[in-house]
Amino acid sequence: MKQRSVLHVDLDAFFVSVERVLNPSLCGKPVVVGGSARQRGVVAAASYEARKFGVRSAMSMAQAMRLCPDLTRVAGTHQMYSRASKAVFSLLGNYTPIIEKVSVDEAYLDLSGTHHLFGDALDAADEMRRRVKDELRLDLSVGVSTNRLVSKVASAHAKPFGLCDVAHGDEASFFSPFDIKKLPGIGPVTADKLRSLNIHTLGVLAASEASLLQHTLGRHSASMQRRARGECNVAVCPPWQRQMAKSIGHEQTFATDISDVSLLRGHIQLLLEHACSRMRAKSLAAKTMSLKVRLADFSTKTRDLSLPQHSDNEQQWLKQAEMLMDKMLTPRSAVRLLGVRFTHFAENHYQPGLFDHEDNEQRARTAIADELREKYKGSSFKFGASLWV
Amino acid sequence: MHFLVDRLAFRNALQRVEMGIDRKPTNPMYGGVLIEAQNDSLVLMTNDLDMSVRYRLDFVQVTQPGWAVIPGRELVDIIKDLESDTVTITLTKNNQVELRAGDDLCTLVTLDSSNSSTAEKSESFPVAPSCDVEPDVVMEKNDFLTMVNSTRFATSKVQNSRFATEGILMEAKEDRMTMVGTDGRRLACILRNLSSESSGSHRAVLLPKVLDQIYRFGQDEDGEEISIWYLGNQVGFKIGNLESFGRVLTGEFPDYSQVLNISGSSSINAHRESFTKKLRLASHLTNDSAAVVRLKLSNNNMEICSETDGRGRASANFEVDYSGDEINTAFNPVFLMEGLKAAHSEAIEIQLEDAAHPAKFILGNDFFYIVMPLSSLV
């Protein structure tokens, strides 16, 4: 069987890079993108200069500021990141239609069979990096191999702005010296278990006694060993074979804890608007919604509710969600975080009611609201309860 | 209280009142069966506040009259598992009942009891009203049972905050009874004649379990007619020895007449069995996230299509009596199958307007089923 050519592409410190394109004075400085420390913000992206001080993504902004007092914080403009991401993937789409987008700044590409068009996969990857740098002024790191697992590890190894090619047959030797935590799928708990067996590198993991691993790691041990040898047969999934989303959600951490129920209701409405708008964009309607409430003491409660029929309309969810929140809160509860998550989707169709005469009008109103939000962005358009939010 | 009863007859009598036993009673009385023994008959009563059931069992050897409220679930289970043909039940002095069958003996502590005359009733057991006045409505038992079976499947399984769609509407007016079940997305409506003119216009929405109980046991009861009493917050039914009372739901029932009066511009005549078979075939390629079948009507042909991403697609064709413009519409296959299963005749008529308006299925004599088509999210 002919070997596949799979690329993993990853934009380096993507949010920061976009901000630097917009504002070149940020170049060379330790920069982070994220919410302010006063508003309990977290680091969404950190430049390589900031990383030298120990600043990492998902770290609280307050901690990042303590680690690097000269840190420059940028609030971030997500529409701009989305536009930049579209531009990058549009450029990459010139090389292959088989692109599996993993996130806004990361994707797998299958270049198998494009040899006559673009030459060797390594040459094509190098051209991609060069074009993204020249045309969009963004740094792209690329891993090239015969499968997505090795390409993923290779692109991480190549960062920043690097290219790493692992030839067919070299996968196991390439993986061998890496720390076990480099292998996707090995988290802190599994890593601790492996270290307790004196397994520190992927090479040792690959060569370990299968029965020993099975005893400690259970039924996943065999597949983990195969992965540690760089074996992976999961194909790159093109957009037309993509599975339906399993859940769509939105959550918000408040700058200060909120006890005012009417304010919390306003926030629920906003969260539902965001999540339902995303559902509508994907032509989905959900049957179940989970409401997540985190209190000031960090205790977290999650409760589910279902409607008799699928719905993509926030107005149909709102009353039920408010009732559910009332049940979850005690009178003086101070809420730190609210979140909604929709699951159990119906695709492409929804069931209208026989007696819901307002349904069509409501759908028309929602469509106009979606258009306005798309046109004017952000929170320029609000419905009743969310006015004070 | 002391009596000897045939075990199977007693078990059947308990089955008839069993639906009125509250499984998680807030008051222990709602989980009990009141048994009154006198004049060689037993009267069994249950009441869970949603419904109360009374059943008279004759041909019982009552040697000492009396009454007792006995824990319902335990009594039903014990009587079911006893092996002897007869059971002797005795109320002892310490408010316990002994159930003796052959060599087996079970004792149950009563919730309330008396060995004296049955005139002195339990004060805490919620006794159902008596049916000793003229009924408001009398109709053929079989007609009534057909009406129940033709509407109960369409009711909502969950409570609706706007409408009382978890119930079945029973409307009696002049010499007609109308029964309607809807979950807000489809509606089943059936009309039948009364044996005699109704005492006035009556309307009540009842939980399906009340009518289910009558449907389940009414067929076996003596008598060809059912008597119905509209009692304000309750509706009472009587067939033979079985009396049942259901709580009237207070919520608003949707205005069914506005959808019942629709008549699509296109009429299709189809064979129920063929339609069901083709629908079942197509529904193999639907799932919870894509519970959709597309109906495409063209000259004397109906095509039923379904498709699930990543699994495949189905297309089933069969002959119908239709001549008109091509119509494309989509439905939840479960709604269509449930309606077709309840149909009374093999020849059915479908009235369609377009993909945005409800479809009316005429499934028998004065039996209508209206279903809202699915709309596209795209």
Side-chain angles (χ1 to χ4, degrees):
Chain A
M1 195 178 75
K2 254 193 152 182
Q3 289 306 320
R4 306 205 73 81
S5 296
V6 177
L7 273 61
H8 179 259
V9 297
D10 197 345
L11 290 153
D12 302 339
F14 177 54
F15 295 171
V16 173
S17 301
V18 175
E19 292 297 338
R20 281 176 169 169
V21 172
L22 297 171
N23 179 8
S25 69
L26 295 173
C27 295
K29 293 179 182 171
V31 180
V32 288
V33 173
S36 83
R38 270 185 297 173
Q39 293 188 322
R40 295 171 171 173
V42 291
V43 175
S47 69
Y48 285 94
E49 293 82 355
R51 291 183 198 189
K52 284 178 190 164
F53 291 88
V55 177
R56 294 280 179 271
S57 296
M59 180 181 276
S60 80
M61 193 59 76
Q63 192 186 352
M65 288 291 182
R66 277 196 296 275
L67 288 171
C68 179
D70 294 331
L71 199 60
T72 305
R73 184 188 72 82
V74 184
T77 44
H78 285 270
Q79 289 92 12
M80 204 54 80
Y81 306 150
S82 179
R83 278 177 61 185
S85 173
K86 274 183 193 163
V88 172
F89 288 112
S90 165
L91 191 153
L92 299 180
N94 293 324
Y95 293 87
T96 174
I98 306 175
I99 299 181
E100 184 181 335
K101 205 171 156 182
V102 185
S103 70
V104 73
D105 61 350
E106 192 181 337
Y108 293 99
L109 282 72
D110 191 336
L111 287 193
S112 309
T114 62
H115 179 79
H116 297 294
L117 290 169
F118 307 111
D120 204 45
L122 188 63
D123 297 337
D126 199 33
E127 190 180 302
M128 283 177 206
R129 287 173 59 245
R130 201 166 28 79
R131 282 187 63 189
V132 170
K133 183 73 178 172
D134 293 347
E135 295 173 29
L136 302 166
R137 289 192 280 159
L138 297 170
D139 292 348
L140 186 72
S141 293
V142 186
V144 185
S145 79
T146 54
N147 69 56
R148 50 192 286 160
L149 174 70
V150 177
S151 297
K152 164 92 178 159
V153 176
S155 73
H157 182 63
K159 274 175 173 286
F161 193 47
L163 172 64
C164 178
D165 174 38
V166 182
H168 175 53
D170 292 346
E171 292 90 351
S173 57
F174 172 67
F175 267 27
S176 181
F178 287 130
D179 186 273
I180 44 171
K181 280 188 83 176
K182 292 270 184 194
L183 187 70
I186 295 187
V189 176
T190 312
D192 285 347
K193 284 182 184 171
L194 289 170
R195 287 199 182 102
S196 71
L197 298 173
N198 212 19
I199 297 171
H200 297 276
T201 64
L202 294 178
V204 177
L205 174 60
S208 295
E209 190 72 39
S211 56
L212 176 75
L213 285 176
Q214 178 143 18
H215 185 256
T216 313
L217 302 173
R219 60 196 169 94
H220 297 298
S221 60
S223 70
M224 196 177 288
Q225 266 195 308
R226 280 197 299 275
R227 288 163 63 81
R229 289 194 288 268
E231 293 171 20
C232 172
N233 52 13
V234 181
V236 178
C237 184
W240 57 90
Q241 284 180 4
R242 200 75 26 94
Q243 294 266 314
M244 197 195 331
K246 286 202 169 68
S247 74
I248 289 178
H250 218 78
E251 60 182 51
Q252 188 183 0
T253 305
F254 305 124
T256 50
D257 300 335
I258 300 177
S259 306
D260 182 348
V261 175
S262 56
L263 201 56
L264 287 170
R265 287 183 176 181
H267 278 289
I268 283 197
Q269 171 147 0
L270 270 187
L271 291 168
L272 287 172
E273 281 171 15
H274 280 298
C276 285
S277 174
R278 282 171 59 199
M279 265 202 287
R280 287 190 289 271
K282 291 174 187 280
S283 301
L284 298 174
K287 193 155 191 199
T288 306
M289 189 202 81
S290 302
L291 182 66
K292 179 175 167 185
V293 176
R294 181 169 293 150
L295 301 178
D297 62 0
F298 281 87
S299 61
T300 307
K301 295 179 193 174
T302 307
R303 298 282 183 277
D304 290 353
L305 71 89
S306 292
L307 291 184
Q309 64 266 331
H310 294 85
S311 175
D312 63 351
N313 192 311
E314 54 266 32
Q315 295 305 321
Q316 287 180 353
W317 288 103
L318 184 62
K319 199 174 172 189
Q320 306 279 344
E322 285 177 354
M323 281 161 55
L324 189 63
M325 185 183 71
D326 290 347
K327 278 188 203 166
M328 291 167 75
L329 297 179
T330 51
R332 288 185 189 167
S333 298
V335 177
R336 179 186 171 87
L337 175 147
L338 268 184
V340 296
R341 180 157 296 280
F342 290 105
T343 51
H344 299 101
F345 295 115
E347 204 175 9
N348 300 328
H349 285 84
Y350 79 102
Q351 175 71 63
L354 278 169
F355 309 102
D356 299 336
H357 305 297
E358 295 165 11
D359 189 55
N360 286 341
E361 288 173 31
Q362 207 173 57
R363 295 194 77 77
R365 275 201 301 274
T366 314
I368 293 168
D370 282 348
E371 256 180 62
L372 287 170
R373 283 195 201 101
E374 178 65 29
K375 190 171 177 183
Y376 297 108
K377 306 293 176 195
S379 52
S380 56
F381 180 89
K382 282 182 178 179
F383 277 107
S386 55
L387 265 180
W388 312 112
V389 175
Chain B
M1 182 178 75
H2 179 90
F3 59 85
L4 175 73
V5 64
D6 180 80
R7 190 182 67 83
L8 281 179
F10 191 47
R11 183 184 162 185
N12 288 342
L14 280 171
Q15 277 180 344
R16 278 158 174 70
V17 298
E18 195 181 348
M19 278 175 90
I21 299 172
D22 199 339
R23 285 174 186 273
K24 291 177 182 170
T26 47
N27 178 335
M29 286 292 172
Y30 306 150
V33 181
L34 170 62
I35 298 177
E36 293 176 359
Q38 65 170 345
N39 303 333
D40 286 344
S41 71
L42 298 180
V43 175
L44 282 71
M45 255 184 283
T46 54
N47 192 337
D48 69 354
L49 297 187
D50 276 336
M51 69 182 294
S52 51
V53 190
R54 183 190 284 134
Y55 185 75
R56 200 184 75 237
L57 177 63
D58 297 322
F59 310 113
V60 181
Q61 278 184 38
V62 179
T63 46
Q64 164 74 51
W67 58 265
V69 183
I70 304 170
R73 297 248 51 91
E74 289 85 344
L75 181 63
V76 169
D77 291 342
I78 288 169
I79 296 297
K80 192 172 77 181
D81 287 340
L82 289 174
E83 289 177 349
S84 157
D85 291 341
T86 56
V87 186
T88 306
I89 297 179
T90 312
L91 179 64
T92 61
K93 283 178 184 167
N94 50 359
N95 287 332
Q96 292 184 343
V97 282
E98 284 180 3
L99 292 87
R100 196 180 289 276
D103 295 335
D104 303 326
L105 172 69
C106 295
T107 307
L108 283 171
V109 177
T110 65
L111 300 167
D112 198 2
S113 57
S114 170
N115 254 330
S116 62
S117 158
T118 52
E120 183 199 307
K121 297 274 172 64
S122 169
E123 286 178 8
S124 43
F125 190 85
V127 177
S130 56
C131 299
D132 47 12
V133 293
E134 275 294 301
D136 295 307
V137 172
V138 179
M139 68 183 294
E140 288 277 324
K141 179 177 80 176
N142 286 339
D143 277 352
F144 184 83
L145 299 182
T146 302
M147 292 179 92
V148 173
N149 194 41
S150 306
T151 50
R152 59 181 178 161
F153 72 90
T155 56
S156 177
K157 307 292 176 282
V158 291
Q159 276 197 339
N160 183 316
S161 55
R162 208 166 133 214
F163 293 120
T165 48
E166 70 274 27
I168 296 176
L169 174 73
M170 280 176 50
E171 200 170 50
K173 199 174 179 183
E174 296 168 357
D175 63 345
R176 298 281 268 177
M177 169 71 90
T178 308
M179 207 177 273
V180 184
T182 180
D183 62 3
R185 297 162 287 169
R186 36 68 183 274
L187 177 146
C189 174
I190 183 167
L191 295 91
R192 286 291 181 267
N193 286 333
L194 302 179
S195 302
S196 58
E197 190 129 325
S198 158
S199 66
S201 288
H202 301 286
R203 186 183 158 94
V205 182
L206 298 174
L207 285 172
K209 76 171 198 173
V210 178
L211 300 175
D212 275 350
Q213 192 263 353
I214 298 167
Y215 180 79
R216 198 168 150 203
F217 299 109
Q219 199 67 56
D220 300 336
E221 286 301 305
D222 293 337
E224 296 301 312
E225 291 189 323
I226 179 168
S227 304
I228 303 170
W229 288 263
Y230 284 85
L231 303 164
N233 59 355
Q234 287 189 80
V235 175
F237 303 88
K238 184 170 189 211
I239 309 177
N241 284 348
L242 179 67
E243 292 172 30
S244 192
F245 297 83
R247 178 174 66 86
V248 173
L249 299 182
T250 50
E252 184 193 352
F253 198 80
D255 180 10
Y256 69 91
S257 60
Q258 61 176 346
V259 291
L260 194 63
N261 293 332
I262 58 151
S263 55
S265 55
S266 307
S267 173
I268 303 111
N269 290 300
H271 190 255
R272 186 190 68 88
E273 198 183 343
S274 310
F275 195 177
T276 309
K277 278 183 180 170
K278 301 294 178 181
L279 200 55
R280 195 179 299 131
L281 176 68
S283 63
H284 290 313
L285 283 168
T286 64
N287 60 23
D288 195 35
S289 66
V292 185
V293 286
R294 292 179 175 281
L295 268 52
K296 187 174 163 186
L297 283 148
S298 51
N299 213 9
N300 288 335
N301 185 63
M302 187 190 286
E303 184 186 3
I304 306 176
C305 301
S306 61
E307 185 167 7
T308 308
D309 279 350
R311 282 174 65 203
R313 66 187 306 276
S315 164
N317 286 274
F318 71 106
E319 194 181 333
V320 292
D321 181 10
Y322 174 68
S323 56
D325 294 338
E326 190 175 292
I327 301 175
N328 277 294
T329 183
F331 289 98
N332 182 332
V334 176
F335 287 4
L336 297 188
M337 291 222 265
E338 287 184 347
L340 291 171
K341 192 178 170 190
H344 301 165
S345 58
E346 281 302 312
I348 60 164
E349 185 187 344
I350 309 161
Q351 294 180 355
L352 279 175
E353 182 67 47
D354 56 34
H357 289 88
K360 186 176 187 176
F361 294 75
I362 301 169
L363 302 174
N365 181 26
D366 281 340
F367 177 27
F368 310 101
Y369 184 50
I370 292 125
V371 186
M372 194 70 190
L374 294 161
S375 289
S376 174
L377 280 166
V378 183

